[in-house]
């Protein structure tokens, strides 16, 4: 199969490309604008000839059309992905996540692709109180500019399926962690700051709950949906990894071997969603997917990966990153963010 992967130089996209480059015969093309979050180092080590890379913006209709030509399928990861940045600059999220998705849908339809996977998020369902889980039938109720832009993209993808018959499949996953994650997100931020003995910013009282999943499990779920999912269907992807933020931070400090004194409670995120939790029984029942990682084994492996790859994160902690962390965390800003 000829497969176009947008955003393939980012965290999840690059893990997906690595997986398929080593375990499938698919011909892979990556389209990526290489924003602050895109990094060619994430694709290093993939044998030459297994991958074609196109440096382009998802909003550039001509470039996206050229990339879609001749493809059998598309998996769409490219997005602005960080909630805090969407609070600082919502416009960038509307442009890439909403407009960019429509550009891609139009190009995919024009090229006659057979399958189109929209990589979405549990955040489109909004926030839960302390009980219940999101099913695929839960109403869309996004609360941040990021999640609103992702919900908009999902609706455009569903409209393309309904109106034009494009074979759209949508996956909605919880919080990913694992290798190559940009250290603006809670887990890599905490690991790097713990390793460097820097204060760890915890928003509010640290009781907000996220449903964590190892990135490899997410990528295997997307691959399964790509190959066996029913067009028009939505699939939640979760591995029962619900934990309050403070518990995650404490576990990382234990794994790194650093004092809990680094934990610093800071001003809460505006509009901070309290809890996410996913019911992914449809994916398990209909497509036979199940996670391979537990949160314990996945976190330990992730801490090990950051310990063993200082050359990767050393380069990532660059000028743009330092500027962002100063804007986001003010006086607490240091080398590893926050
Ligand atoms: P990321 O920020 O690490 O990577 C995003 C990638 O998209 C980068 O390579 C970036 O260069 C590229 N990109 C951004 N704007 C672009 C543009 N205008 N044109 C072309 N490329 C552009 O994000 P991620 O965490 O890997 O998330 C990937 C996808 O998965 C996103 O759609 C996100 O909404 C979704 N998702 C993420 C999570 C998570 O926990 N990280 C969970 C569920 C769903
Ligand atoms: O749920 C899926 C979503 O998970 C994805 O769609 C997003 O792309 C991804 O960024 C992630 O969103 P979150 O906002 O949940 O992830 P983040 O790592 O930013 O934050 C996780 C939790 O930790 C959240 O409750 C906010 C909190 N937090 C985060 C940061 C960066 C802190 O307490 N301190 C911090 O410095």
């Amino acid at each position: 199969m000829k497969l176009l992967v947008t955003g393939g130089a980012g965290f999840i996209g690059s893990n997906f490309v690595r997986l398929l480059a080593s375990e499938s015969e698919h011909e892979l093309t990556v389209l990526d604008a290489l924003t602050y979050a895109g990094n060619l180092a994430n694709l290093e080590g993939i044998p030459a000839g297994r991958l074609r890379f196109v440096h382009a913006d998802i909003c550039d209709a001509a470039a996206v059309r050229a990339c879609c030509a001749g493809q059998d399928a598309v998996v769409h990861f490219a997005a602005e992905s960080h909630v805090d940045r969407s609070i600082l600059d919502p416009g960038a999220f509307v442009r890439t996540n909403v407009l960019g998705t429509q550009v891609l849908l139009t190009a995919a339809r024009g090229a006659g692709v057979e399958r189109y996977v929209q990589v979405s998020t549990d955040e489109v369902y909004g926030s839960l109180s302390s009980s219940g889980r999101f099913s695929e039938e839960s109403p869309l109720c996004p609360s941040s500019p990021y999640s609103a832009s992702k919900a908009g993209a999902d609706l455009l993808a569903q409209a393309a399926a309904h109106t034009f018959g494009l074979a759209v499949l949508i996956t909605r996953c919880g919080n990913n962690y694992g290798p190559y994650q940009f250290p603006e997100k809670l887990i890599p931020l905490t690991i790097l700051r713990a390793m460097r003995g820097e204060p760890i910013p915890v928003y509010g009282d640290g009781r907000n709950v996220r449903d964590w999943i190892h990135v490899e499990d997410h990528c295997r779920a997307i691959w399964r949906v790509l190959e066996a999912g029913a067009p028009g269907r939505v699939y939640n992807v979760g591995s029962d990894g619900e934990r309050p933020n403070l518990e995650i931070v404490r576990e990382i400090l234990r794994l790194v071997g650093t004092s809990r004194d680094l934990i610093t409670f800071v001003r809460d995120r505006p509009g901070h969603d309290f809890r996410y939790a996913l019911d992914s029984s449809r994916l398990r029942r209909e497509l036979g997917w199940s996670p391979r990682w537990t949160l314990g084994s996945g976190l330990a492996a992730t801490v090990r990966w950051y310990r063993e790859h200082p050359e990767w994160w050393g380069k990532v902690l660059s000028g743009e990153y330092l500027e962002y962390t100063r804007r986001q965390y003010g006086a607490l800003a240091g080398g590893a963010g926050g």
Side-chain angles (χ1 to χ4, degrees):
M1 179 196 288
K2 288 192 172 146
L3 180 61
L4 174 64
V5 181
T6 73
F11 163 49
I12 307 174
S14 65
N15 275 280
F16 181 76
V17 166
R18 282 177 178 281
L19 178 68
L20 266 65
S22 70
E23 295 188 19
S24 83
E25 299 298 318
H26 298 325
E27 289 178 43
L28 303 166
T29 298
V30 165
L31 178 152
D32 199 296
L34 298 178
T35 67
Y36 79 90
N39 186 350
L40 284 178
N42 296 356
L43 297 170
E44 268 168 21
I46 296 176
R50 278 304 280 118
L51 183 67
R52 184 168 75 96
F53 181 80
V54 179
H55 186 197
D57 191 313
I58 197 73
C59 299
D60 177 344
V64 173
R65 251 195 324 271
C67 263
C68 282
Q71 301 290 342
D72 299 308
V74 173
V75 180
H76 181 35
F77 292 96
E80 289 291 341
S81 69
H82 191 39
V83 173
D84 291 324
R85 288 189 193 246
S86 82
I87 295 166
L88 295 172
D89 178 16
F93 287 69
V94 174
R95 181 183 177 278
T96 290
N97 299 359
V98 182
L99 178 63
T101 296
Q102 184 54 56
V103 167
L104 181 63
L105 287 164
T106 304
R109 182 161 66 90
V113 306
E114 284 155 26
R115 292 172 86 77
Y116 173 103
V117 180
Q118 176 73 16
V119 179
S120 186
T121 167
D122 58 2
E123 298 201 11
V124 298
Y125 298 123
S127 180
L128 291 166
S129 57
S130 49
S131 64
R133 293 194 294 173
F134 297 125
S135 79
E136 289 85 354
E137 272 68 49
S138 299
L140 300 191
C141 191
S143 22
S144 72
Y146 162 71
S147 54
S149 69
K150 291 293 291 185
D154 283 15
L155 292 173
L156 288 169
Q158 282 172 328
H162 182 80
T163 310
F164 305 114
L166 187 67
V168 168
L169 303 112
I170 297 180
T171 58
R172 296 194 178 128
C173 189
N175 285 60
N176 284 225
Y177 66 92
Y180 302 102
Q181 187 168 29
F182 192 80
E184 63 190 351
K185 309 281 168 43
L186 180 69
I187 287 183
L189 178 95
T190 301
I191 295 173
L192 293 192
R193 293 192 68 94
M195 280 168 34
R196 295 154 63 107
E198 293 171 350
I200 295 166
V202 173
Y203 297 160
D205 58 12
R207 287 193 201 155
N208 298 64
V209 174
R210 294 294 180 265
D211 193 348
W212 297 96
I213 181 170
H214 191 278
V215 65
E216 183 194 340
D217 285 330
H218 183 194
C219 291
R220 288 190 185 281
I222 293 169
W223 187 7
R224 189 79 195 116
V225 168
L226 169 69
E227 298 202 333
R233 214 142 167 76
V234 176
Y235 296 92
N236 285 349
V237 185
S239 68
D240 302 324
E242 268 190 77
R243 291 288 186 291
N245 294 336
L246 201 50
E247 224 177 272
I248 292 286
V249 168
R250 285 183 178 147
E251 176 60 8
I252 292 172
L253 292 175
R254 192 188 68 74
L255 288 164
V256 173
T258 314
S259 162
R260 284 187 180 184
D261 294 346
L262 291 179
I263 294 174
T264 309
F265 292 96
V266 299
R267 189 173 72 89
D268 208 354
R269 171 185 283 174
H272 198 173
D273 283 343
F274 175 62
R275 175 172 165 262
Y276 307 137
L278 280 164
D279 174 352
S280 55
S281 50
R282 173 181 289 177
L283 177 66
R284 294 167 194 245
R285 195 179 57 246
E286 295 181 7
L287 302 185
W289 173 89
S290 58
R292 299 181 175 193
W293 291 86
T294 63
L295 189 51
S297 62
L299 270 184
T302 303
V303 168
R304 223 171 18 251
W305 187 87
Y306 281 90
R307 273 212 169 105
E308 288 168 0
H309 292 81
E311 75 297 340
W312 182 86
W313 54 260
K315 283 189 200 135
V316 163
L317 304 185
S318 66
E320 192 280 342
Y321 184 72
L322 298 177
E323 196 184 312
Y324 163 73
T325 56
R326 270 194 293 274
R327 207 170 157 204
Q328 176 64 20
Y329 298 99
L332 212 65

